[in-house]
Amino acid sequence: GFSPLYASVPLVAMVAATQGATVGGLGLMRERDEGLLARLWVVPMHRAAGLVARLSAEMIRIVAATVVLGCTGMVLGFRFQQGFFATVFWFFIPTIFGLAFAILVATLALYSAKTIVVEATALISGLLMFFSTGFVPLSQYPEWLQPIVRNQPLSNTVEVMKGLSIGGPVASPMAGLLTWSLVIIAICVVPMGIAYKKACTRG
């Protein structure tokens, strides 16, 4: 009953967010192993500046990618139909789970000795993509799988963005999206900070 662009454009924006976080995690491992983090630690700036700057850059990257993908979707026929504020909000939705996923990847990167652990997060985001309502309508999945697909974070994100563009429920999927994101951040943020300090001060 509606163009698949209203689901696929948000999905691709989320894939860009999660896959980019994986690449960023690999870069963080390289900076740690080459001693760059340790050198930055002696610079006269706030100890949290490195992590805050990295996460801020990640959020800017996600918003920029979403803008490019949104404009591309509009060329193909995607349209915003819910007003100015809903349109503006649409571009920032991927940063919610994107930030949480970046924190998860950074935590794994700081604790891991081998890149395979961080690279595995790309597999996780790939599975989330294939089993989301942005890839295939919920009704097309087996009934036993539908509750999992409906409630996973990429589906929540797609549904929120679909509601903000073409119309539909926003509050319920937003609650799910926020829950997933806050739980991941709550679990990872302290271990990430501890591992970052250890990586910066080793040797």
Side-chain angles (χ1 to χ4, degrees):
F2 58 88
S3 169
L5 285 171
Y6 292 98
S8 59
V9 173
L11 178 62
V12 174
M14 283 308 303
V15 171
T18 55
Q19 297 289 336
T22 298
V23 175
L26 295 172
L28 180 60
M29 292 184 71
R30 184 171 60 253
E31 292 175 10
R32 178 198 62 189
D33 296 339
E34 293 177 353
L36 178 60
L37 296 183
R39 290 195 292 272
L40 287 175
W41 193 256
V42 301
V43 175
M45 62 183 185
H46 195 282
R47 295 306 189 196
L51 272 179
V52 172
R54 181 176 296 275
L55 295 174
S56 298
E58 191 72 17
M59 293 176 67
I60 293 171
R61 178 191 66 78
I62 294 171
V63 172
T66 305
V67 169
V68 171
L69 291 167
C71 292
T72 304
M74 292 182 70
V75 172
L76 298 174
F78 183 95
R79 294 292 182 268
F80 294 100
Q81 304 177 23
Q82 300 301 305
F84 175 77
F85 291 107
T87 300
V88 173
F89 195 36
W90 185 93
F91 288 101
F92 290 91
I93 292 297
T95 62
I96 299 173
F97 184 71
L99 177 62
F101 195 83
I103 290 173
L104 171 63
V105 172
T107 303
L108 293 174
L110 290 167
Y111 278 99
S112 303
K114 296 184 178 181
T115 60
I116 190 172
V117 176
V118 176
E119 290 168 348
T121 60
L123 176 62
I124 294 173
S125 66
L127 288 173
L128 292 175
M129 177 190 74
F130 284 116
F131 294 96
S132 75
T133 56
F135 189 73
V136 177
L138 183 64
S139 61
Q140 301 303 307
Y141 289 98
E143 288 189 10
W144 62 269
L145 190 58
Q146 289 183 16
I148 298 174
V149 173
R150 181 190 301 113
N151 295 297
Q152 62 109 323
L154 259 62
S155 291
N156 292 151
T157 305
V158 168
E159 293 305 311
V160 171
M161 296 176 77
K162 189 164 65 176
L164 291 172
S165 57
I166 196 174
V170 172
S172 179
M174 176 61 81
L177 172 59
L178 291 174
T179 299
W180 274 105
S181 301
L182 291 174
V183 168
I184 292 173
I185 292 172
I187 292 173
C188 295
V189 67
V190 173
M192 179 185 65
I194 294 171
Y196 185 80
K197 181 178 180 180
K198 184 178 178 180
C200 291
T201 58
R202 66 176 186 172

